[in-house]
Amino acid sequence: MADTAAASARRTTRRVRVAASAGIVGAVLLAVLLVPPLVQLDQQAVDLAAKLRPPSLEHPFGTDDVGRDLLLRCVYGLRVSLLVGIVAGLTATVIGTAVGALAAASGGWTDRVVMRLVDTFSSVPHLLLGIFVVAMFRPGVGPVIVSVALTHWLSTARIVRAEVLSLRSRPFIDAAVSGGASRGRVVVRHLLPAVLPQAGLAAVLMVPHAMWHESALSFLGLGLPTHQASLGNLVQSARGSLLAGDWWPTLFPGLFLIVPTLALAGLAGAWRERINPRRRSELML
């Protein structure tokens, strides 16, 4: 009886966590989609007479060091960070899925060469490699997306390769090969559809990781132009204000980065439990 009650409590907690995560993600998407067209305010408008005002009814998140409304700036910054995260995450997932499937399906020396290349790139820290990529271009959204995508496909490639290797020994693959299916047809019709759930999970997990990566690059002054609102730029520009005792220019952009990424991680955890029955059964024990 006690075990049943504990399992029921865990299920309830998990449902509440998933519902809260979905609600936060939904609110974030509505904010970034609806606020810019509905709120007819210029998020770049400077008002030096209103600089560094604390949170109030007129400015719920206060103002920054040149008098711009911080709530509006945070929404625009989250919009840019989400754009970078989604596009870079999907691109990295596509690259990783293609490389991992190619290596596992080909086998032999092709698999060994590809995985040694993956190991070589993995030995270089992501941030250092990303800095090297963005340094070759002018600051902007495009170079940041390219930087994140080219440095974050490695883990997806390993996951997809492991899944394809386990699927190659399944009876339905043997039946397809015995029926005369070519290697390319087996990959496209049988192997790739089987690894899509894992690849989709990797893409969801990649979005918050890419958002943090973009914020780190922008904080270092290597990502987006300083005048363009992004969460990393907002935190970077608020460093002087924080040292002077003005906490709101740093706190709210940080929350806009932390809360959505935690919500996405919560949804990804629920997805992982759904596609991995063994993991779900372990959680029920």
Side-chain angles (χ1 to χ4, degrees):
M1 183 67 67
D3 292 342
T4 302
S8 177
R10 283 193 292 269
R11 285 194 295 268
T12 302
T13 302
R14 189 160 56 250
R15 284 195 295 267
V16 171
R17 185 177 70 247
V18 172
S21 299
I24 292 173
V25 172
V28 166
L29 293 177
L30 287 176
V32 299
L33 291 176
L34 298 181
V35 168
L38 294 180
V39 179
Q40 299 300 318
L41 293 175
D42 184 5
Q43 54 103 10
Q44 296 283 13
V46 174
D47 183 6
L48 294 178
K51 69 176 184 178
L52 290 177
R53 287 185 177 177
S56 61
L57 292 178
E58 184 181 3
H59 301 287
F61 286 5
T63 60
D64 63 7
D65 56 350
V66 292
R68 294 173 294 195
D69 183 78
L70 198 56
L71 174 57
L72 195 60
R73 294 276 290 171
C74 285
V75 172
Y76 273 88
L78 181 59
R79 193 182 193 189
V80 172
S81 296
L82 270 178
L83 172 66
V84 172
I86 292 173
V87 176
L90 290 177
T91 304
T93 301
V94 171
I95 295 174
T97 301
V99 172
L102 173 65
S106 300
W109 66 269
T110 302
D111 183 28
R112 291 192 293 272
V113 170
V114 170
M115 296 315 297
R116 293 299 77 76
L117 290 175
V118 170
D119 292 339
T120 301
F121 280 107
S122 298
S123 64
V124 182
H126 286 172
L127 184 58
L128 182 60
L129 190 57
I131 291 174
F132 174 76
V133 174
V134 297
M136 296 187 296
F137 304 94
R138 301 179 66 178
V141 174
V144 174
I145 292 176
V146 171
S147 168
V148 177
L150 292 181
T151 56
H152 288 76
W153 57 270
L154 306 170
S155 59
T156 304
R158 286 199 179 96
I159 293 171
V160 170
R161 174 181 177 270
E163 288 291 320
V164 172
L165 287 177
S166 66
L167 289 170
R168 284 177 56 183
S169 59
R170 300 289 179 86
F172 70 93
I173 299 297
D174 294 334
V177 173
S178 300
S182 64
R183 178 175 296 179
R185 183 176 178 83
V186 169
V187 171
V188 173
R189 293 294 301 274
H190 300 285
L191 295 179
L192 283 181
V195 302
L196 282 181
Q198 293 288 350
L201 175 60
V204 174
L205 289 172
M206 197 73 67
V207 172
H209 194 80
M211 291 174 61
W212 280 93
H213 199 83
E214 178 275 323
S215 298
L217 290 174
S218 297
F219 183 81
L220 294 173
L222 297 170
L224 304 180
T226 55
H227 69 274
Q228 186 171 4
S230 76
L231 297 179
N233 277 342
L234 293 178
V235 175
Q236 194 275 341
S237 63
R239 289 184 301 171
S241 303
L242 182 62
L243 294 175
D246 301 320
W247 49 269
W248 56 92
T250 304
L251 174 64
F252 292 114
L255 290 177
F256 264 62
L257 179 61
I258 293 172
V259 173
T261 54
L262 289 178
L264 286 170
L267 292 180
W271 190 348
R272 183 188 294 114
E273 295 171 18
R274 181 173 294 274
I275 66 176
N276 192 338
R278 176 181 296 179
R279 174 62 179 166
R280 185 166 66 248
S281 64
E282 290 174 355
L283 293 174
M284 296 298 296
L285 295 177

